[in-house]
Amino acid sequence: MTNREVDDVDKAILYALQEDARNVSSGDIAERTGTSDSTVRKRIQRLESDRVIKGYSANVDYQKSGYPLRMLLYCTASIPERGDLIPDILDLDGVVSVQELVTGEQNLLVTAVGETDGDITSVAQELLDMGLTVADEVLVRTHETTPFGEFDPANHAAEGE
């Protein structure tokens, strides 16, 4: 299928999957959206093939799993190289995410987890060895997420009233 604009049904599907992709069925989503089960399955397949849905993953509490340190490392890479460095950064032990930033001097945000300070220090050293500058390090106590409110059909129903 070709890329299409994400419509209200797609947004409702995305919202439901963000809430609990593991336990929500296409039938549950069909009830919410007023569509059929097969329509929801086809929409999910299209959203996956268009890479709107990039994958599914567990939301891990690293602290409870034995890795109490979560560090944000704000880095600077040369602009032409920053995007190309992301796969190599993601391969580093302890790195769980990389975000490419487009404003400011720091243009990569690396999230690393570890058991000890040494675990985080080794990630920072490996980033330096790759030619990055580590401009700032921020220790994170907690990290919570929520589904994107613009995908929630309830928000749009309230606007239309």
Side-chain angles (χ1 to χ4, degrees):
M1 290 183 131
T2 60
N3 287 350
R4 286 187 334 174
E5 187 175 319
V6 174
D7 65 15
D8 288 341
V9 172
D10 293 331
K11 290 176 182 178
I13 291 168
L14 294 170
Y15 190 82
L17 292 173
Q18 284 183 312
E19 280 184 312
D20 189 0
R22 181 179 171 107
N23 295 308
V24 69
S25 70
S26 55
D28 296 335
I29 298 171
E31 280 183 40
R32 289 185 187 189
T33 59
T35 61
S36 70
D37 188 22
S38 64
T39 296
V40 170
R41 286 194 310 274
K42 287 177 187 172
R43 294 282 189 117
I44 290 172
Q45 287 174 344
R46 182 184 51 78
L47 291 165
E48 290 171 347
S49 67
D50 289 351
R51 303 274 301 144
V52 174
I53 298 173
K54 295 169 59 173
Y56 301 88
S57 61
N59 185 2
V60 176
D61 184 324
Y62 292 105
Q63 189 167 13
K64 288 182 179 176
S65 65
Y67 298 90
L69 300 178
R70 179 189 296 249
M71 184 71 72
L72 304 178
L73 300 123
Y74 289 88
C75 302
T76 304
S78 73
I79 292 171
E81 292 181 309
R82 70 179 172 202
D84 296 335
L85 290 170
I86 292 173
D88 294 331
I89 296 169
L90 286 169
D91 282 342
L92 298 177
D93 285 338
V95 172
V96 295
S97 75
V98 178
Q99 297 175 53
E100 186 175 0
L101 310 174
V102 293
T103 58
E105 187 177 329
Q106 289 83 43
N107 52 24
L108 291 171
L109 174 57
V110 178
T111 304
V113 297
E115 268 185 285
T116 66
D117 290 341
D119 296 335
I120 303 299
T121 301
S122 69
V123 170
Q125 184 59 55
E126 290 182 79
L127 293 170
L128 292 171
D129 293 345
M130 294 174 75
L132 292 141
T133 301
V134 178
D136 198 9
E137 299 176 3
V138 177
L139 185 60
V140 177
R141 181 184 305 268
T142 62
H143 174 90
E144 301 298 330
T145 63
T146 189
F148 183 48
E150 288 300 310
F151 293 162
D152 185 356
N155 288 345
H156 298 288
E159 292 170 3
E161 294 175 0

